[in-house]
């Protein structure tokens, strides 16, 4: 029994080692960059920490992290299948746009309206991701290529065509602002206000947490999740074990897209209540970094999302204090780079170490049994 | 080369102790021992991957210490690993020069040198072929060439025949004799005793981490060698009384499969395959690898869609049934390539116990997994099938090949299959595990299991099977009675030289009618 406990503890330590190494390496590299530009690195870090932990910063960070977390989950579902869904960006863009349109047309009681809008977002996201899945299965098109192209088709094609004053949007504020019809009050998602000075926390954080729990449960506790992980680990073994790999690719792209569909909803249902300037872009790509950083683990992705939001929040303040705000971009870039390297290093080290240990345990066992035989 | 008193300790264990070996120049020296006897550790020491705690290595009388493989290569020692280390998408030339660009560049000079080595030792390597287009035997020759290219005068070959069929083994041995004739030294690690006796000039036997003796291949029999190696008698694959019933379990009728070859042209890989396996019967299929055996297995498993033909399992037509349903209906599968088709190498043993049977008890209840029950059952399999592991949470990759295979056999047998497809069930498995796997197949056969056995080990095929068929170019061209047939007679049918019903003393009237 002792052996199991030790191996498990080791696995945990190894699991934590990689992201820690990455963050530490990122801090060192950033410090060197700051030194090279003639600034005191520790002052900058000090400013980031003290500003990042103010209460209004905390609320901001939590709200951004909610979006990053959902995007990270969507990417992680693909990663667990060995699929690289770069299209979360386009999927949530399409989803939030069409949800805003539907929300602007329909005015129902909240308990129907909100679920309707959430389902709409998930459906649109799923369809947009499903196209890539079907292309991959039917035509062998790499999902990396197709999702990147679908991102452009969504943003520069469909949305920019429809999102114009005489089509699905209108202008307000004397013709300066283009937006879709406002969502009815019944479509506003609840917020949590602890400290009025810090601002409200998006209620969607609850949805994000539920999504994380569902992700964990489905992957590690259900037959479907096992099949999905099997395909991710070895497509050939999955096929031999009876998984319909092609069907699985389409299904997992659909699920990944459905989760991606949720990414834009905190901004839409909790904050802007209309599609326009208030809807952020670029979260899909942040999701890739966050999923990498969190090692596709539901808690890890959460930590990654919070770290990313923290860095985003503090970058603006750094500029205010006379630093280059690009320094945060350097930190983020170095973290992602280091994480990828550190995971591979730690993974190989872990496999080698375990093989060696198992060999030693077995050799030890056989020596003792021979000694016992000899003694008997 | 001389090794004296080599001892290697890992914390708490001694992997090698007091190993003494002397290898003379210009001979083939075989090192035999069961898996886990300490051969690999010794080779790693010799190749500089590990340092001995005690003992000395001397080359040409000069004492040396290796701290990494680079030192060993500098001393003219090269290693051909069991698992090839080639980049598939590069050419042979590129693979050979990779990492040794300084020796002869990467262009014409390197090509000339490769041709020169290839011709000198009869390796027949084409420098511009893509590695992914090469067969296993060709890849192995590329590996050998790679080592020679780096100037090795002593070659260590780790289990080189594990992946080869008899004809390829013969070709390899011719190559080795060629190397020897040129004055090179070959250290050949194996546990296949017949091969060792046929190629080696000197034999050293290792058991439980130490050298237990040496043997002269001219005067030693395989049996004596085996007893030296395992310290007891060698198991035999022979089955006793027949348990064949007349209840058909699997019927294959007119199976035909085409698949595109590398040029994109559809080729017939299975042609009019018809056979029946009854309850309690082991049907053995002999054949040189690549004659359609793998495709036959995949067609029965539902991993390939045949162009024509009907499959019937226990009276039910399964021709169009998906793989998972076939497995649930009672097909057990011991795949030819366990790393690709039978295991999730980076997953723990208990998850591997679920693989292929996720819908069945005790793995799941409804749509949910039942980890507690799976873990209990994995523990049971580990105990009953003697899987040597410190626990069920270690990854499958950390077990030896034999123990991985025992886990697979245990998993498949735990679901009480009606039909077991066993493709090379004892390939790369040590003698002890081999005997266990044979026992399990025999026992299941007594209880009415039907077995489709595909193997390159002709002794195994003849020993275990109730009926034998020979596969050649996608067709079943011959059948034989395992009670009377000899491996040589079977071998000639495998090359297409004879067909029809093979008799022990073939008369002139036979052969030819099926061709």
């Amino acid at each position: 029994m002792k052996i199991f406990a030790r191996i498990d503890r080791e696995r945990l330590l190894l699991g934590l080692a990689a992201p820690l190494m990455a963050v530490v390496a990122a801090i060192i590299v950033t410090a060197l960059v700051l030194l090279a530009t003639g600034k005191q690195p520790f002052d900058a870090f000090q400013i980031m920490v003290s500003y990042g932990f103010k209460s209004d910063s905390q609320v901001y960070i939590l709200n951004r992290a909610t979006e990053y977390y959902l995007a990270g989950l969507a990417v992680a579902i693909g990663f667990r299948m060995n699929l690289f869904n770069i299209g979360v960006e386009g999927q949530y863009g399409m989803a939030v746009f069409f949800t805003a349109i539907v929300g602007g047309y329909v005015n129902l009681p909240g308990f129907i309206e909100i679920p309707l809008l959430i389902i709409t977002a998930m459906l649109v996201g799923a369809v947009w991701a499903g196209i890539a899945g079907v292309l991959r299965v039917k035509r062998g098109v790499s999902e990396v290529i197709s999702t990147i192209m679908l991102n452009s088709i969504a943003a520069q094609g469909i949305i920019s065509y429809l999102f114009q004053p005489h089509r699905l949007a209108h202008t307000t504020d004397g013709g300066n602002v283009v937006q879709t019809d406002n969502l009815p009050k019944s479509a506003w998602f609840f917020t949590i206000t602890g400290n009025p000075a810090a601002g409200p926390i998006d209620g969607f954080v609850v949805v994000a947490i539920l999504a994380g729990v569902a992700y964990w449960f489905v992957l590690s506790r259900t037959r479907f999740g096992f099949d999905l992980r099997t395909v991710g680990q070895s497509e050939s073994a999955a096929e031999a074990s009876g998984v319909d790999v092609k069907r699985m690719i389409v299904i997992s792209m659909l699920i990944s897209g459905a989760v991606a569909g949720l990414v834009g909803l905190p901004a839409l249902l909790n904050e802007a209540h209309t599609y326009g300037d208030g809807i952020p872009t670029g979260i899909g790509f942040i999701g890739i970094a966050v999923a990498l950083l969190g090692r596709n683990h539901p808690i890890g992705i959460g930590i990654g999302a919070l770290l990313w939001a923290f860095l985003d929040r503090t970058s603006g303040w750094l500029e205010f204090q006379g630093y280059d705000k690009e320094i945060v971009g350097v930190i983020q870039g170095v973290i992602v780079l280091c994480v990828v390297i550190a995971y591979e290093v730690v993974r190989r080290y872990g496999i080698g170490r375990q093989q060696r240990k198992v060999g030693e345990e077995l050799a030890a066992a056989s020596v003792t049994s021979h000694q016992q035989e000899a003694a008997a | 080369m001389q090794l004296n008193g080599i001892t290697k300790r890992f914390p708490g264990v001694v992997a090698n102790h007091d190993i003494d070996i002397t290898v003379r120049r210009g001979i083939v020296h075989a090192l035999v021992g069961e898996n886990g006897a300490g051969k690999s550790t010794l080779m790693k020491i010799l190749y500089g991957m590990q340092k001995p705690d005690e003992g000395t290595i001397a080359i040409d009388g000069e004492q040396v210490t290796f701290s990494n493989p680079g030192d060993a290569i500098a001393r003219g020692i090269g290693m051909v690993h069991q698992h090839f280390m080639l980049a598939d998408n590069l050419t042979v030339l590129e693979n050979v020069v990779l990492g040794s660009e300084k020796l002869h560049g990467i262009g014409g000079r390197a090509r000339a040198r490769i041709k020169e080595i290839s011709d000198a030792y009869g390796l027949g390597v084409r420098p511009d072929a893509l590695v992914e287009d090469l067969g296993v035997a060709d890849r192995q020759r590329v590996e050998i060439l790679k080592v020679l290219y780096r100037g090795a005068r002593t070659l260590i070959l780790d289990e080189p025949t594990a992946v080869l069929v008899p004809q390829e083994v013969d070709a390899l041995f011719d190559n080795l004799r060629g190397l020897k004739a040129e004055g090179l030294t070959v250290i050949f690690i194996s546990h296949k005793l017949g091969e060792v006796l046929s190629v080696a000039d000197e034999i050293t036997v290792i058991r439980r981490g130490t050298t237990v003796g040496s043997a002269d291949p001219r005067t030693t029999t395989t049996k004596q060698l085996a007893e030296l190696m395992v310290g007891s008698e060698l198991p035999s694959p022979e089955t006793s009384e027949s348990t064949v019933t007349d209840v058909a379990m699997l019927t294959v009728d007119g199976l035909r499969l085409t698949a595109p070859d590398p040029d994109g042209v559809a080729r017939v890989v299975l042609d009019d395959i018809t056979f029946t396996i009854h309850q309690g019967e082991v049907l053995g299929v002999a054949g040189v690898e690549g004659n359609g055996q793998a495709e036959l297995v995949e067609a029965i498993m539902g991993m390939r869609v045949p162009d024509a033909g009907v499959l019937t399992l226990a009276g039910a037509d399964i021709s169009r049934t998906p793989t998972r349903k076939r497995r649930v209906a009672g097909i057990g599968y011991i795949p030819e390539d366990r790393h690709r088709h039978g295991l999730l190498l980076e997953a723990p043993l208990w998850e591997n116990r679920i693989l292929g049977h996720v819908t069945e008890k005790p793995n799941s209840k409804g749509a949910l997994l039942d980890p507690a029950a799976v873990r209990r059952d994995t523990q049971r399999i580990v105990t009953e099938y003697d899987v040597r592991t410190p626990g069920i949470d270690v990854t499958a990759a950390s077990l030896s090949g034999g123990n991985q295979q025992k886990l697979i056999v245990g998993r498949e047998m735990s679901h009480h299959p009606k039909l077991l497809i066993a493709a090379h069930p004892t390939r790369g498995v040590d003698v002890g595990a081999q005997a266990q796997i044979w026992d399990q197949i025999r026992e299941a056969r007594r209880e009415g299991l039907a077995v489709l056995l595909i193997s390159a080990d002709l002794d195994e095929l003849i020993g275990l099977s109730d009926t034998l068929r020979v596969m050649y170019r996608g067709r079943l061209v011959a059948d034989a009675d395992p009670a009377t047939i000899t491996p040589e007679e079977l071998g000639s049918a495998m090359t297409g030289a004879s067909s029809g019903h093979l008799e022990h003393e073939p008369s002139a009237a036979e052969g030819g009618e099926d061709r």
Side-chain angles (χ1 to χ4, degrees):
Chain A
M1 288 317 286
K2 248 166 56 189
I3 300 160
F4 302 155
R6 202 164 63 218
I7 285 174
D8 271 350
R9 199 176 337 126
E10 272 183 24
R11 199 179 289 170
L12 187 69
L13 278 176
L14 287 174
L16 291 177
L20 279 180
M21 274 162 62
V23 170
V24 169
I27 289 175
I28 293 171
V29 171
T30 319
L32 292 175
V33 172
L34 281 167
L35 278 176
T37 58
K39 302 265 162 96
Q40 272 302 317
F42 291 98
D43 292 348
F45 295 144
Q46 166 85 45
I47 290 168
M48 288 171 72
V49 171
S50 64
Y51 181 70
F53 280 90
K54 291 168 98 128
S55 57
D56 57 338
S57 292
Q58 284 178 11
V59 169
Y60 177 91
I61 288 169
L62 196 59
N63 289 344
R64 291 291 75 74
T66 301
E67 297 164 345
Y68 300 170
Y69 185 70
L70 289 166
L73 279 188
V75 175
I77 292 166
F79 277 156
R80 292 305 289 266
M81 260 294 283
N82 241 347
L83 289 173
F84 195 177
N85 180 6
I86 304 186
V88 171
E89 183 67 22
Q91 289 144 25
Y92 94 80
M94 290 289 279
V96 73
F97 178 68
F98 284 102
T99 306
I101 302 295
V102 171
Y105 274 107
V106 183
N107 188 359
L108 293 166
F111 69 94
I112 303 176
E113 175 93 9
I114 287 174
L116 174 78
L117 294 184
I118 291 179
I119 289 168
T120 306
M122 293 177 77
L123 276 178
V124 175
V127 167
W128 205 242
I131 296 171
V134 171
L135 282 174
R136 159 86 188 257
V137 168
K138 295 279 179 205
R139 285 280 170 268
V141 180
S142 163
E143 77 283 357
V144 175
I145 308 291
S146 59
T147 52
I148 290 175
M149 293 171 98
L150 284 166
N151 282 346
S152 297
I153 295 172
Q156 275 91 53
I158 295 176
I159 296 175
S160 70
Y161 176 77
L162 293 176
F163 185 60
Q164 286 180 29
H166 50 284
R167 298 207 172 93
L168 290 176
H170 59 81
T171 52
T172 55
D173 202 12
N176 282 329
V177 178
V178 184
Q179 64 160 78
T180 58
D181 292 346
N182 281 316
L183 262 55
K185 273 265 181 188
S186 65
W188 293 24
F189 210 73
F190 72 91
T191 55
I192 307 158
T193 309
N195 173 1
I201 299 169
D202 292 351
F204 228 80
V205 69
V206 176
V207 175
I209 291 169
L210 288 177
V213 172
Y215 170 88
W216 167 80
F217 183 80
V218 170
L219 276 180
S220 60
R221 285 287 180 271
T222 67
R223 267 166 35 182
F224 171 78
F226 185 82
D227 285 346
L228 191 145
R229 284 184 290 139
T230 306
V231 179
Q233 291 182 60
S234 165
E235 219 168 278
S236 52
E239 203 184 342
S241 85
V243 181
D244 185 338
V245 173
K246 291 185 167 181
R247 195 167 145 259
M248 205 62 179
I249 288 173
V250 174
I251 292 178
S252 57
M253 278 308 277
L254 289 174
I255 296 176
S256 177
V259 176
L262 297 173
V263 171
L265 294 190
L268 180 69
L269 302 185
N270 266 127
E271 295 171 17
H273 309 297
T274 176
Y275 186 92
D277 291 341
I279 304 297
T281 55
I283 299 176
F285 303 118
I286 294 173
I288 298 169
V290 166
L292 278 174
L293 195 56
R295 231 186 165 184
N296 303 330
H297 187 280
I299 295 174
I301 299 170
I303 295 170
L306 286 168
L307 176 65
W308 219 259
F310 168 83
L311 293 172
D312 278 357
R313 173 69 172 176
T314 51
S315 68
W317 186 248
L318 269 184
E319 193 179 22
F320 220 69
Q321 299 291 317
Y323 290 87
D324 301 314
K325 78 170 197 178
E326 283 73 20
I327 203 70
V328 169
V330 173
I331 301 184
Q332 291 175 333
V334 174
I335 287 180
V336 171
L337 213 57
C338 293
V339 149
V340 175
I341 298 167
Y343 279 152
E344 195 52 28
V345 169
V346 168
R347 193 183 72 92
R348 288 188 190 175
Y349 172 78
I351 291 174
R353 182 180 165 84
Q354 194 180 48
Q355 283 176 341
R356 224 166 34 243
K357 280 197 106 75
V358 168
E360 286 166 22
E361 302 278 356
L362 291 179
S366 78
V367 167
T368 12
S369 73
H370 291 319
Q371 282 165 352
Q372 281 162 355
E373 271 168 37
Chain B
M1 180 193 305
Q2 201 165 9
L3 290 98
N4 261 325
I6 297 283
T7 299
K8 175 73 188 173
R9 295 187 198 85
F10 291 115
V13 232
V14 184
N16 281 159
H17 57 96
D18 302 323
I19 292 212
D20 298 308
I21 300 176
T22 305
V23 181
R24 289 186 291 124
R25 182 191 292 278
I27 61 156
V28 176
H29 190 110
L31 205 62
V32 300
E34 276 201 281
N35 285 357
K39 291 174 304 203
S40 304
T41 308
L42 183 62
M43 284 308 109
K44 282 179 184 161
I45 290 171
L46 195 51
Y47 191 52
M49 291 161 81
Q50 272 169 353
K51 273 189 148 176
D53 297 320
E54 282 169 31
T56 56
I57 303 172
I59 291 173
D60 298 331
E62 187 187 341
Q63 197 159 322
V64 291
T65 42
F66 298 146
S67 44
N68 58 54
D71 294 349
I73 294 168
R75 286 280 175 177
I77 296 177
M79 183 143 173
V80 176
H81 294 273
Q82 193 176 356
H83 297 285
F84 303 145
M85 304 191 173
L86 297 171
D88 276 0
N89 50 353
L90 298 184
T91 65
V92 169
L93 170 75
E94 288 163 341
N95 265 288
V96 172
V97 299
L98 193 66
S100 301
E101 295 83 354
K102 283 186 196 152
L103 285 177
H104 309 283
I106 57 169
R109 264 191 317 135
R111 185 188 317 270
R113 181 75 189 129
I114 290 172
K115 287 298 284 180
E116 191 186 317
I117 297 173
S118 173
D119 294 344
Y121 304 109
L123 294 175
V125 167
R126 291 169 294 141
D128 295 312
L130 266 183
V131 167
E132 65 186 354
D133 296 335
L134 298 183
V136 176
D138 287 328
R139 287 175 193 223
Q140 191 169 50
R141 282 194 281 272
V142 174
E143 284 279 7
I144 292 174
L145 196 142
K146 231 168 92 181
V147 172
L148 294 173
Y149 186 83
R150 283 157 177 72
R153 304 290 299 165
T154 302
L155 273 80
I156 305 171
L157 280 85
D158 188 7
E159 303 269 359
T161 62
V163 290
L164 303 180
V165 297
Q167 282 76 0
E168 291 172 339
V169 170
D170 291 341
L172 171 70
F173 287 176
D174 285 341
N175 291 147
L176 295 187
R177 289 186 194 104
L179 295 174
K180 185 173 80 173
E182 296 292 321
L184 271 67
T185 311
V186 177
I187 300 180
F188 178 90
I189 303 171
S190 182
H191 58 242
K192 290 193 182 163
L193 307 172
E195 293 173 357
V196 168
L197 289 178
S198 80
V199 75
D201 302 304
E202 288 173 359
I203 301 174
T204 301
V205 182
I206 292 187
R207 170 153 43 102
R208 286 183 197 158
T210 192
T211 37
V212 291
S214 46
D216 182 346
R218 277 158 302 189
T219 56
T220 315
T221 65
T222 45
K223 195 159 180 293
Q224 289 165 334
L225 201 54
E227 284 168 10
L228 203 54
M229 184 166 118
V230 295
S232 61
E233 265 186 48
L234 186 69
S236 94
E238 253 133 77
T239 50
S240 43
E241 77 292 358
S242 167
T243 57
V244 182
T245 63
D246 53 9
V247 186
M249 187 51 85
L250 175 76
T251 312
V252 175
D253 190 18
L255 186 67
R256 181 186 160 84
L257 176 76
T258 53
D261 64 6
D263 298 327
V265 182
R267 271 185 41 204
V268 178
V269 287
L270 292 177
D271 193 6
D272 195 23
I273 302 282
T274 298
F275 63 84
T276 302
I277 310 179
H278 301 92
Q279 267 187 22
E281 178 180 1
V282 177
L283 177 81
V285 175
V288 177
E289 234 159 303
N291 274 284
Q293 299 94 319
E295 288 80 3
L296 173 63
V297 168
E298 289 176 5
I300 298 175
M301 286 303 298
M303 293 153 68
R304 279 171 184 263
V305 184
D307 298 276
V310 179
L311 301 171
T312 316
L313 178 73
D317 184 347
I318 57 162
S319 312
R320 304 243 155 262
T321 314
T323 305
R324 174 153 290 168
K325 288 210 174 117
R326 293 190 197 192
R327 296 191 74 139
V328 174
I331 301 184
Y333 181 32
I334 302 175
E336 169 180 349
D337 185 340
R338 57 181 164 263
H339 289 182
R340 284 192 68 227
H341 291 126
L343 292 170
L344 299 174
L345 287 173
E346 291 187 24
L349 299 190
W350 68 272
E351 288 198 352
N352 274 288
R353 193 255 167 273
I354 304 177
L355 187 68
H357 302 277
V358 69
T359 55
E360 296 164 63
K361 279 191 177 299
N363 297 335
S364 59
K365 283 181 189 158
L368 299 187
L369 297 179
D370 188 351
V374 177
R375 297 179 65 94
R376 268 198 307 279
D377 200 59
T378 312
Q379 199 64 57
R380 175 191 65 79
I381 291 175
V382 164
T383 315
E384 278 181 23
Y385 289 83
D386 191 29
V387 181
R388 308 260 169 91
T389 167
I392 58 172
D393 286 300
V394 301
T395 56
S398 48
L399 298 191
S400 70
N403 285 309
Q404 289 174 345
Q405 193 73 335
K406 285 191 275 187
L407 180 76
I408 292 176
V409 172
R411 172 180 78 199
E412 297 306 319
M413 291 301 187
S414 299
H415 293 278
H416 306 290
K418 296 171 183 159
L419 168 74
L420 178 70
I421 299 178
H424 307 279
T426 59
R427 170 178 285 178
V429 160
D430 57 275
V431 177
Q434 192 176 36
Q436 275 179 35
I437 291 168
W438 283 335
D439 277 344
Q440 278 139 12
I441 291 177
R442 263 178 294 219
E443 192 177 322
R445 162 180 169 271
R446 259 200 301 285
E447 288 164 10
L449 179 76
V451 180
L452 174 64
L453 175 69
I454 288 169
S455 181
D457 179 345
L458 298 184
D459 291 326
E460 174 175 84
L461 269 178
I462 294 171
L464 278 181
S465 304
D466 298 297
T467 319
L468 271 175
R469 294 296 195 90
V470 180
M471 203 160 184
Y472 180 66
R473 294 195 177 162
R475 298 172 71 97
L476 293 175
V477 294
D479 61 285
D481 180 357
T484 55
I485 199 84
T486 65
E488 289 71 27
E489 288 158 354
L490 210 51
S492 90
M494 283 162 61
T495 58
S498 53
S499 61
H501 182 69
L502 304 174
E503 286 290 343
H504 176 45
E505 288 165 316
S507 60
E510 274 182 4
E513 78 261 33
D514 272 4
R515 297 184 72 189

